[in-house]
Amino acid sequence: MTDGSATTLRDEARAKVNLTLRVVGRRPDGYHELESVVAFADCADHLTLQPGAALSLTTIGPGAQDCGDSADNLVLKAARLLGERVPNLKAGAFTLDKHLPVAAGIGGGSADAAAALRLLARANDLAVDDPRLIEAARLTGADVPVCLPSKPCVMTGVGEKLSPLPLPRIPAVMVNPRVPVATKDVFTALGLKPGSLTVGATDVLAAPAWPKAGAPLADWVVALKAGTNDLEPPALKVEPVVGTVLEALQATAGVQLARMSGSGATCFALYADDASARAAADTLRAAHPGWWVHAGSLS
């Protein structure tokens, strides 16, 4: 593969949504153990790779100004980590077309990094389950391993254990008030000390029973309603606008469930059909023109 002659490779970095998020405890090393049902949205950043000798990143798009210094971008971090594990890795020039809000609880940076790893895998004929690829994902960030396949699952541990889930397509609206929320601030507000558990051993063993493949959407909504996002209360302390977003979503017609994703401030609402989701999004855009609002689906 040589400069200029290689075909530009393209991938999408889909937004990650935590439909549930349970903080099981905090390990002695400081990492938090989680249990989360994760789905992926039909909104995304777009990443291209022009294979070549030198590694670089150019950021474009409506969210480019929010990305900060390119040198700190997770795309480059992931590429360098993979390069340390794969001899003579063919890299190249990445271009990130940024559309997802940053520091928003939907794994935008992690999804970008995962897309970079998928592109590098294609450029270097690596399997997507290559242990070196998975290790690079894990070392890049806690949400990168789940974003690598970008498929619905139950994520446990510190984000590295993934169990597939037969989630149906769910009409949804996602809202971000364009206020960044730092994950570390939310976990600090949660206040768990290293080595502490939030649940007992019997609670950990009693994993939720999720609907089987082909189950109707209504069954999934009931099951998801029984869950929670343990980071909502501390996020509300860090950034009270999260409560405003949740109230606005809960007031829309036809809403089935409204909850915060990840560490916020993005929140989502689930609906029975696409028309209800679109109507809710229109209502929210009219009432809050400064918010980022997306109507689509999770799967």
Side-chain angles (χ1 to χ4, degrees):
M1 218 172 264
T2 57
D3 291 344
S5 62
T7 302
T8 299
L9 304 175
R10 305 176 187 278
D11 207 334
E12 286 196 337
R14 294 169 65 198
K16 166 199 66 73
V17 173
N18 299 92
L19 293 171
T20 69
L21 200 165
R22 189 185 193 199
V23 181
V24 177
R26 191 176 184 188
R27 303 191 319 193
D29 62 9
Y31 286 96
H32 289 81
E33 293 264 354
L34 308 175
E35 180 183 83
S36 177
V37 173
V38 178
F40 289 84
D42 55 357
C43 52
D45 293 333
H46 308 281
L47 192 68
T48 62
L49 172 63
Q50 179 65 48
L55 175 64
S56 66
L57 172 65
T58 301
T59 307
I60 62 173
Q65 70 279 2
D66 299 323
C67 289
D69 188 351
S70 291
D72 298 326
N73 196 285
L74 293 184
V75 166
L76 294 181
K77 181 179 180 180
R80 292 186 181 112
L81 284 166
L82 186 61
E84 292 170 5
R85 284 153 182 79
V86 178
N88 304 312
L89 182 78
K90 297 169 186 171
F94 284 104
T95 300
L96 173 61
D97 186 3
K98 188 69 180 173
H99 290 260
L100 299 177
V102 302
I106 52 174
S110 298
D112 296 341
L117 290 172
R118 291 193 298 269
L119 288 172
L120 289 169
R122 286 164 57 191
N124 291 271
D125 296 320
L126 300 175
V128 290
D129 60 352
D130 188 301
R132 297 168 296 181
L133 200 74
I134 294 170
E135 184 181 29
R138 181 177 56 82
L139 293 172
T140 302
D143 276 341
V144 182
V146 75
C147 291
L148 202 55
S150 289
K151 293 180 179 178
C153 66
V154 177
M155 177 179 72
T156 55
V158 292
E160 82 285 7
K161 299 172 186 173
L162 311 176
S163 302
L165 206 59
L167 197 72
R169 178 186 178 278
I170 308 178
V173 171
M174 297 165 60
V175 175
N176 182 275
R178 299 192 188 274
V179 175
V181 175
T183 300
K184 63 178 178 59
D185 293 344
V186 175
F187 276 106
T188 297
L190 182 65
L192 280 186
K193 295 179 180 179
S196 61
L197 289 174
T198 60
V199 294
T202 53
D203 294 321
V204 175
L205 293 172
W210 299 106
K212 304 295 184 185
L217 176 56
D219 289 2
W220 280 95
V221 171
V222 169
L224 292 168
K225 277 184 176 179
T228 186
N229 182 343
D230 289 345
L231 296 182
E232 261 184 37
L236 284 164
K237 294 178 184 176
V238 173
E239 189 46 75
V241 72
V242 170
T244 306
V245 174
L246 285 170
E247 288 173 5
L249 284 167
Q250 287 161 349
T252 57
V255 64
Q256 307 280 302
L257 170 66
R259 186 172 285 160
M260 188 182 81
S261 176
S263 55
T266 302
C267 300
F268 65 88
L270 308 182
Y271 299 85
D273 53 72
D274 292 321
S276 296
R278 286 193 298 268
D282 289 342
T283 298
L284 291 162
R285 289 190 192 102
H288 304 278
W291 288 0
W292 177 87
V293 179
H294 172 77
S297 64
L298 306 177
S299 61

